[in-house]
Amino acid sequence: MAEYPQDVVQRFHGTPEQVDAGLVGEPPRTWASVVIEEYDRGRAQRFVALRTSIVEALGDLALAVEHVGSTAVPGLAAKPIIDIDLIVEDTAEEAAYLPALERLGYRLVLREPWWHGHRMLVSPGEDVNLHVWPPGAPEPVRHRLFRDWLRSHPHDRERYAAAKRRLARDTAHQPRDYSLAKNDVIDEIYARIFAA
C-alpha cells in the first residue's frame, strides 16, 4: 500500500464564502449553469496545444503542466471545460507569470493564498480553467491520483459520471452548489485510492 502525506490525504473543502473572498473581477459566465456532456476526445487533443502555448509563453517558469479533471479521463462525462494544473515556483509572484498568460488571453478570476497559494485563470472562451500552484502543493497530487484512478477503474468512473449528472440536475437552481455537492462521492473515491 502506498503511503501518502497527511496534507494529500486530507482534502480541503472550500466554502462559497471563501470562493467569493478570492474572486478577482467578474466570475466566469460558466459558473451560472452546469452542463454535463459525453466524453469528447477532442479535449485531450486540445490540451496538447494549450500545454504547448503555456510552455512557450512561460519557458522555464512552467515547472509542470498537467491535464486534470474529468476531460482528462477517457469515457467520462464532463463539463465542457478543460482543467489544467500549472506549477510555478511562487504563485504569489504574479508579475513573473501572469503577464505572459494574459497575453495568451487568460484572465485571473481567483486568488486564494490560503489554499496553498492557488490562483485560477480562465481562457477567453471560458472553456479552460488554468489552476496555478506552487511546488509541493497537495491538490495537484490529488488531481493526478483521481484522474489516474478513474482512467483505470471503470466502476468508479461510471459512478462519478452518474453522480455528476444527478447533481447537475439537483443544483440547477443554484449552480454554484454543484462543486460542493460532489464532495461526498469524491471523498468516497479518494478513500478507495488511499486504501489501495
Side-chain angles (χ1 to χ4, degrees):
M1 174 172 22
E3 290 289 325
Y4 298 99
Q6 195 61 30
D7 64 346
V8 170
V9 174
Q10 293 296 320
R11 278 186 70 226
F12 172 79
H13 290 186
T15 66
E17 293 78 21
Q18 287 171 312
V19 171
D20 288 344
L23 190 62
V24 177
E26 291 296 313
R29 70 184 184 295
T30 53
W31 290 6
S33 65
V34 176
V35 176
I36 303 295
E37 298 180 351
E38 292 305 313
Y39 177 72
D40 179 351
R41 77 179 67 241
R43 292 198 178 96
Q45 296 165 342
R46 181 156 178 241
F47 165 74
V48 174
L50 292 165
R51 182 188 189 286
T52 298
S53 67
I54 291 166
V55 169
E56 286 177 355
L58 294 178
D60 292 342
L61 293 175
L63 303 178
V65 183
E66 289 271 350
H67 187 188
V68 295
S70 296
T71 62
V73 180
L76 180 59
K79 292 189 293 184
I81 298 171
I82 296 171
D83 282 288
I84 299 173
D85 278 346
L86 166 64
I87 309 298
V88 299
E89 191 59 44
D90 184 355
T91 57
E93 203 56 50
E94 292 178 4
Y97 63 90
L98 200 52
L101 295 173
E102 289 172 336
R103 284 192 291 278
L104 294 176
Y106 289 96
R107 173 175 70 92
L108 181 67
V109 294
L110 283 176
R111 181 182 290 121
E112 300 175 306
W114 60 86
W115 189 28
H116 309 289
H118 177 247
R119 305 298 195 265
M120 188 181 102
L121 296 88
V122 293
S123 63
E126 298 186 356
D127 59 347
V128 177
N129 290 338
L130 180 59
H131 302 274
V132 187
W133 306 96
E139 198 65 26
V141 174
R142 278 192 292 273
H143 289 170
R144 291 190 306 273
L145 288 169
F146 198 75
R147 175 198 66 194
D148 295 348
W149 180 269
L150 293 181
R151 285 176 175 175
S152 60
H153 291 80
H155 177 73
D156 274 339
R157 183 173 59 239
E158 289 309 312
R159 186 168 188 278
Y160 187 46
K164 292 197 306 177
R165 287 186 183 101
R166 177 179 50 79
L167 293 169
R169 284 190 306 270
D170 292 351
T171 63
H173 63 289
Q174 191 76 24
R176 289 191 59 192
D177 291 348
Y178 170 78
S179 292
L180 292 176
K182 293 189 304 179
N183 281 333
D184 288 344
V185 68
I186 290 170
D187 286 341
E188 289 172 18
I189 294 170
Y190 272 122
R192 286 190 282 283
I193 293 170
F194 295 135

